[in-house]
Amino acid sequence: MSPELLFALLLAAAGQAAQSGTVSGVVVDSSSGEPVADARIEALAGERIAGRVFSGPNGRFTLLLAPGRYSLLARRIGYDVRRIEGVEVSSGQTAELRVVLVARPVLVSAEVVTASRTQEAALEAPASVSVVVPEEAAHRIALTAVDHLKAVPGIDIVSSGLTQHNVVARGFNNAGSGQLLTLTDYRYASVPALRINAYNFIPLLDKDIDRIEVVRGPGAALYGPNTTAGVLHLITRSPFESQGTSVAVAVGERDLFQIAARHAGIIGGRLGWKLSGQYFRARDWEYVDPVEQQNRLTALARGADPSSLLIGKRDFGIERAFGEARVEWRPDGKTALTGNFGINQAIKNIDITGFGAAQVRNWRYTYYQLRLERDALFAQVFLNTSDAGETYLLRTGIPVSDRSRLLVAQVHHESRLGSRHHLTYGFDYQRTDPRTGGTIYGRYEDQDITDELGGYLHAESRISKLRLVGAIRADYHSRVKSPVISPRLGVVAEPGAGQTVRFTYNRAFSTPTTYDFFLDLLVDSLREPFTGSALPFAVRALGVPKEGMAFRRDCPGGLANLCMYSPFTPASLGGSGQPLPADATVLWDVLLDTLRRRDPNIPAIPKPAPGEVRSVLRILNTGTRTFDPLDPASLGDVAPLEHRITNTLELGYKGMLSNRALAAVDLYYSWIRGFLAQGVATPNVFFDPVTLGSYLSRFMPSSQAIQLVGIIGSIPVATVSPEHSGSQTDILVVTRNFGRVSYWGADLSVALQPTGYTQLSATYSWASKSLFRNVGGISDIALNAPQHKIGFSAAYANRRTGLSAELKGRYVDAFPVISGVFEGRVEAYLVVDAAFSYTAPFAKGLTLSLDVRNLLDNRHREFVNVPEIGRLAVARARFEF
């Protein structure tokens, strides 16, 4: 379906507004009589939602409905649901109501739309769900939305700077991660093509967040690709429910300055609009990468201009600006047409990628979205665009050119079959169009567009106190041979009031990224270990063609007839593109002449006879930048890429232990087939040091032979490279599907609300493994997350006095890291944060806040090769009018 046709359908549907009557009224608190803002009012015709609206700041609401008899539902976080039966609506008439809500602990009143792609109570959702509500976030100063997730169970957060984060659920984090499907108002929020969740690129004002929903565990049956870990959904406030103006100014340590503004209003009762924007700057935590510095020194030694050399040229400043606009038209009580536009300019910051750190300069992220909601129909189309500006990789100085586009169209509908059965169905289409000017995707630049199409059916049935859940989805990807099927099965039992037990099975999949298919990027260079001189072997990250890659095995000689390619091959033997037998002695004369030119004291040594000096294979370890031994028999071809399939069984409980205590326990077992991970695919040929030493000892003293073996034996002679790779002597880093991985895990949480003003919570998450050894006989894979993590918080909020405070902390156990060029160990750390907020009675609409992160100044690293993070204090004044 073309975007133009979809836009036309959306506009046509929105224009069908029937002659209507009006239900008007006010929502008030039962104890205080004060107006209740942001209450959701729904008019039901039978079980069908005929209209929906939210109460304004004065508690008032207006619903336009077709003539008839309705039931009215009023919901608000922190209150019991109120149902009013028999509301009569007559054409051209107004029915006036007073809706009284009774306060209820926030713990049990949250509702979600993400778990089943329909509205339901979080307590009843057939998945492990957490919700961050406005009451929790009101007293925090958030630099990005990630700051609100630090107390959510099962969430792993890696911070590499003040605003740079990688977030996943239940492990498998990475440098530049897109593991967790992140949505903003139902729109994919990741950077197009790169599929990286850059939370500091999302043009979202903290004041605009209505709630944050976190669904842990696979979600492909409803959301399709790349939901193996779950869904993070940032839902913003409609201008109809959040009118007025807000201006906030924040200052803090590390030269932090932030100013944000928002205004929302209504025109004529049916058209809402909103504008928001923010400017932020600060001085980031500092880190010097020794690899960058060594590469810089090498480039300078070769005559590079230090003023223009980009290798290792770090700017520790952070600066960004963004703006967002929203227009929402509600022609009647059951239709909403919403248009959104947002733009973020990352003026400068440093972020980590699988190839080392990148210096971001003027990276622009833009989105356009049009969304229709009418009765049970939801449809949207959105376009995300990216322009990397003058960004470059710090280890190589290579510019990052990314002008990619992601176009998505989605249609979703719900049907009820009586009062017990509910169906949800729809389809999604997305086209990813990477545009890198040849800098990232090189040779693949003209063949890198991918199309994906998926359709799904989700059904729920109620039988007494049981809910049976089933779903099926099919997805097609233009670069993968076979479609993939994602089922979902579950049962939710309600053993008592406010108690649910669920057992579910979910299968989900992750598609290979455009990086995996099309990458063509020089990421590193090598040097001799003894002299530091540059070696003529580049390290290149290369995408895997649709047909895969195969090694030639028809070159007569050793190492099971493998063929090698060497930058040392002279023109007389065909040059570097000529396949040679995988035997280092083939190039004996060339290599010895090169060494003798550097050291005339090395005597002339005849070429060994066949078998006198053997060859060995070694493969580059990108983490240590050394070469590890490789058995030639273990070298396999690079197969075509497939989807990574994740299966998860989960048993969960969530319930009220009392009227003011909520507990949740989630136990899960996951097994993953075809794990996608990057690794070096091409080994190098070296001289065997044992037989080389024995041979050299015939022509020189043993001490000199040992010294020469140390030099010659440390230098790669050639690369064993696949056919048609186009980079025969380069060391290739590619993505492969790895065997099978399985592990257990648990997420536990308890929340207490001792009084109406206080809330205490604690979380604990456990995973059975943090490192998987020799997966598929190819490589180790790290969870890149701890086996144990603990979170705790204590919060106080009193609207009457205007005072709120929060103390929270998290303990993260030590864990190993294997992610691209990042390899090592993160040591355990404990971080405690404090936040205070005061709404001043002497100045209407003024709120003063103070946020101290890492209160104890426990300097720590949350990933390998990133800065140590210390204490940061930020103060803010917010004016609302």
Side-chain angles (χ1 to χ4, degrees):
M1 180 184 294
S2 70
E4 294 82 3
L5 178 57
L6 185 58
F7 271 101
L9 290 174
L10 294 173
L11 292 172
Q16 299 174 359
Q19 185 177 3
S20 59
T22 303
V23 175
S24 233
V26 62
V27 184
V28 297
D29 183 280
S30 63
S31 59
S32 68
E34 293 294 319
V36 176
D38 299 337
R40 188 174 76 253
I41 313 299
E42 293 177 340
L44 303 181
E47 294 297 325
R48 180 180 62 85
I49 299 175
R52 180 187 293 133
V53 73
F54 288 80
S55 61
N58 58 359
R60 298 288 306 178
F61 68 90
T62 300
L63 266 172
L64 301 177
L65 299 168
R69 186 181 180 87
Y70 297 89
S71 299
L72 207 69
L73 283 180
R75 308 171 190 261
R76 175 69 166 88
I77 293 174
Y79 293 89
D80 285 325
V81 177
R82 176 73 189 280
R83 187 180 184 109
I84 303 174
E85 301 287 358
V87 178
E88 295 285 350
V89 176
S90 302
S91 178
Q93 302 297 313
T94 299
E96 186 71 25
L97 297 174
R98 179 180 172 85
V99 182
V100 180
L101 296 184
V102 178
R104 185 186 191 193
V106 173
L107 298 175
V108 297
S109 56
E111 295 200 351
V112 296
V113 296
T114 310
S116 300
R117 224 164 173 171
T118 189
Q119 190 107 17
E120 61 188 340
L123 192 64
E124 301 174 358
S128 177
V129 181
S130 296
V131 183
V132 179
V133 296
E135 288 82 356
E136 294 181 67
H139 43 262
R140 299 175 188 148
I141 304 174
L143 305 184
T144 70
V146 174
D147 292 330
H148 296 305
L149 303 176
K150 294 179 179 179
V152 175
I155 293 298
D156 297 297
I157 300 173
V158 163
S159 297
S160 58
L162 291 177
T163 62
Q164 305 92 293
H165 312 283
N166 288 291
V167 183
V168 297
R170 298 175 175 173
F172 294 111
N173 213 334
N174 273 302
S177 177
Q179 175 83 0
L180 181 67
L181 178 66
T182 300
L183 307 175
T184 302
D185 289 329
Y186 309 93
R187 176 187 60 82
Y188 303 156
S190 59
V191 178
L194 305 183
R195 212 170 75 201
I196 295 171
N197 291 326
Y199 296 95
N200 54 333
F201 280 21
I202 300 175
L204 176 63
L205 201 64
D206 190 47
K207 180 66 177 175
D208 246 343
I209 296 175
D210 179 66
R211 66 185 186 275
I212 302 174
E213 299 180 5
V214 180
V215 181
R216 290 170 290 272
L222 287 175
Y223 290 94
N226 312 312
T227 53
T228 56
V231 183
L232 168 64
H233 195 173
L234 309 169
I235 300 174
T236 67
R237 306 164 72 193
S238 164
F240 283 93
E241 291 82 56
S242 56
Q243 301 165 49
T245 302
S246 171
V247 178
V249 178
V251 295
E253 294 179 293
R254 307 199 67 79
D255 302 326
L256 187 149
F257 174 76
Q258 180 187 67
I259 183 167
R262 177 187 186 275
H263 179 80
I266 298 177
I267 301 173
R270 297 189 178 185
L271 185 68
W273 63 281
K274 178 179 69 175
L275 291 173
S276 62
Q278 178 181 283
Y279 171 77
F280 174 88
R281 71 167 183 260
R283 179 171 48 86
D284 210 346
W285 307 106
E286 297 182 7
Y287 173 73
V288 176
D289 183 350
V291 176
E292 292 173 20
Q293 295 306 303
Q294 183 60 56
N295 290 351
R296 182 176 180 86
L297 290 174
T298 300
L300 292 173
R302 294 177 178 175
D305 182 355
S307 63
S308 59
L309 181 63
L310 297 179
I311 298 175
K313 189 175 183 179
R314 290 190 171 220
D315 183 344
F316 295 106
I318 303 176
E319 193 173 4
R320 70 181 289 225
F322 69 75
E324 195 172 29
R326 174 168 173 168
V327 177
E328 187 172 341
W329 180 40
R330 296 181 177 179
D332 54 39
K334 57 185 178 181
T335 305
L337 182 66
T338 304
N340 286 314
F341 166 77
I343 182 170
N344 179 84
Q345 185 79 7
I347 300 169
K348 59 181 178 180
N349 69 264
I350 296 172
D351 226 326
I352 57 174
T353 76
F355 313 110
Q359 178 66 59
V360 174
R361 287 196 183 279
N362 295 315
W363 193 314
R364 178 172 295 177
Y365 173 84
T366 310
Y367 79 86
Y368 312 82
Q369 181 186 26
L370 185 62
R371 185 172 79 241
L372 170 70
E373 297 168 86
R374 180 175 173 83
D375 287 338
L377 173 68
F378 174 92
Q380 71 168 346
V381 60
F382 60 84
L383 175 68
N384 295 344
T385 72
S386 172
D387 185 342
E390 299 88 49
T391 300
Y392 55 90
L393 295 176
L394 281 161
R395 287 193 172 188
T396 61
I398 294 176
V400 176
S401 176
D402 174 45
R403 293 177 174 83
S404 55
R405 305 286 184 268
L406 174 68
L407 176 67
V408 177
Q410 298 176 325
V411 175
H412 166 90
H413 193 265
E414 299 177 35
S415 295
R416 293 189 179 274
L417 306 176
S419 60
R420 295 186 176 182
H421 309 290
H422 180 238
L423 297 178
T424 304
Y425 42 89
F427 80 87
D428 307 323
Y429 166 77
Q430 66 184 60
R431 164 166 280 206
T432 305
D433 180 10
R435 302 179 183 185
T436 73
T439 60
I440 297 178
Y441 297 129
R443 70 196 72 179
Y444 298 120
E445 190 67 42
D446 296 329
Q447 48 182 310
D448 55 4
I449 293 177
T450 59
D451 293 295
E452 298 174 68
L453 181 66
Y456 58 90
L457 172 65
H458 183 273
E460 291 189 16
S461 295
R462 287 186 176 270
I463 303 174
S464 184
K465 293 186 177 183
L466 292 179
R467 284 174 63 200
L468 304 179
V469 179
I472 191 75
R473 180 181 174 112
D475 283 272
Y476 161 81
H477 190 291
S478 61
R479 291 283 298 192
V480 180
K481 292 181 178 180
S482 302
V484 61
I485 305 298
S486 304
R488 179 188 198 184
L489 296 170
V491 58
V492 182
E494 300 175 13
Q499 312 278 328
T500 58
V501 177
R502 70 181 185 282
F503 181 72
T504 58
Y505 164 75
N506 286 277
R507 180 192 296 164
F509 70 100
S510 290
T511 61
T513 66
T514 52
Y515 265 9
D516 300 326
F517 286 123
F518 308 118
L519 192 62
D520 184 7
L521 185 66
L522 181 67
V523 295
D524 204 356
S525 57
L526 299 179
R527 292 175 299 277
E528 291 184 30
F530 287 93
T531 66
S533 302
L535 290 170
F537 293 91
V539 182
R540 181 177 299 275
L542 192 66
V544 178
K546 194 171 185 177
E547 63 278 6
M549 298 178 177
F551 291 98
R552 287 189 60 173
R553 302 176 186 271
D554 59 351
C555 291
L559 297 181
N561 299 323
L562 285 168
C563 300
M564 69 178 189
Y565 301 85
S566 176
F568 302 114
T569 304
S572 59
L573 293 180
S576 60
Q578 177 65 37
L580 300 173
D583 180 355
T585 62
V586 172
L587 297 173
W588 177 272
D589 293 336
V590 177
L591 294 171
L592 194 64
D593 286 347
T594 301
L595 291 173
R596 293 185 68 198
R597 283 196 296 270
R598 289 165 47 179
D599 184 357
N601 294 322
I602 297 176
I605 303 172
K607 181 179 178 179
E612 283 189 298
V613 176
R614 292 195 296 269
S615 299
V616 295
L617 291 185
R618 294 177 189 162
I619 195 160
L620 178 68
N621 183 318
T622 56
T624 62
R625 305 184 87 219
T626 58
F627 287 87
D628 299 331
L630 180 72
D631 182 357
S634 68
L635 180 64
D637 294 339
V638 180
L641 293 179
E642 299 177 352
H643 299 300
R644 189 187 85 178
I645 305 297
T646 299
N647 296 274
T648 299
L649 291 171
E650 185 164 338
L651 177 65
Y653 165 82
K654 194 169 191 177
M656 297 298 299
L657 304 180
S658 69
N659 191 42
R660 294 188 176 275
L662 176 68
V665 179
D666 300 310
L667 307 174
Y668 61 90
Y669 173 68
S670 293
W671 63 100
I672 304 171
R673 172 173 56 84
F675 199 98
L676 287 163
Q678 282 190 326
V680 175
T682 53
N684 290 86
V685 177
F686 288 78
F687 285 102
D688 170 48
V690 176
T691 54
L692 177 62
S694 298
Y695 182 74
L696 294 177
S697 297
R698 301 180 193 174
F699 307 95
M700 61 184 70
S702 295
S703 59
Q704 187 180 7
I706 292 172
Q707 183 180 12
L708 195 56
V709 166
I711 297 173
I712 298 176
S714 66
I715 300 174
V717 174
T719 304
V720 177
S721 187
E723 285 189 277
H724 314 303
S725 69
S727 305
Q728 272 81 9
T729 64
D730 289 348
I731 298 170
L732 301 183
V733 179
V734 304
T735 300
R736 280 178 161 176
N737 293 97
F738 288 75
R740 171 178 165 139
V741 164
S742 62
Y743 70 110
W744 296 84
D747 298 313
L748 292 77
S749 65
V750 61
L752 307 174
Q753 197 167 12
T755 71
Y757 305 127
T758 56
Q759 181 169 321
L760 307 174
S761 66
T763 65
Y764 170 70
S765 293
W766 166 78
S768 61
K769 296 180 181 179
S770 60
L771 183 64
F772 305 87
R773 294 286 189 186
N774 196 30
V775 178
I778 298 176
S779 175
D780 294 344
I781 294 176
L783 197 66
N784 293 331
Q787 285 187 265
H788 306 274
K789 54 182 178 286
I790 300 171
F792 57 88
S793 70
Y796 171 87
N798 189 326
R799 290 188 179 183
R800 183 177 58 82
T801 63
L803 180 64
S804 64
E806 182 183 38
L807 185 71
K808 64 181 178 181
R810 57 192 176 109
Y811 168 78
V812 176
D813 199 12
F815 60 93
V817 170
I818 303 174
S819 178
V821 300
F822 297 94
E823 187 166 343
R825 177 181 171 86
V826 173
E827 298 302 327
Y829 60 88
L830 171 67
V831 175
V832 178
D833 302 330
F836 308 89
S837 181
Y838 179 61
T839 301
F842 53 82
K844 185 178 180 180
L846 172 63
T847 301
L848 303 175
S849 303
L850 174 65
D851 190 294
V852 183
R853 302 160 190 235
N854 197 358
L855 181 67
L856 305 178
D857 197 24
N858 178 20
R859 300 188 70 87
H860 65 284
R861 286 192 173 92
E862 300 187 6
F863 210 65
V864 175
N865 295 345
V866 300
E868 281 190 331
I869 296 175
R871 181 169 51 223
L872 178 72
V874 183
R876 181 183 68 193
R878 173 179 282 160
F879 306 86
E880 296 182 75
F881 50 92

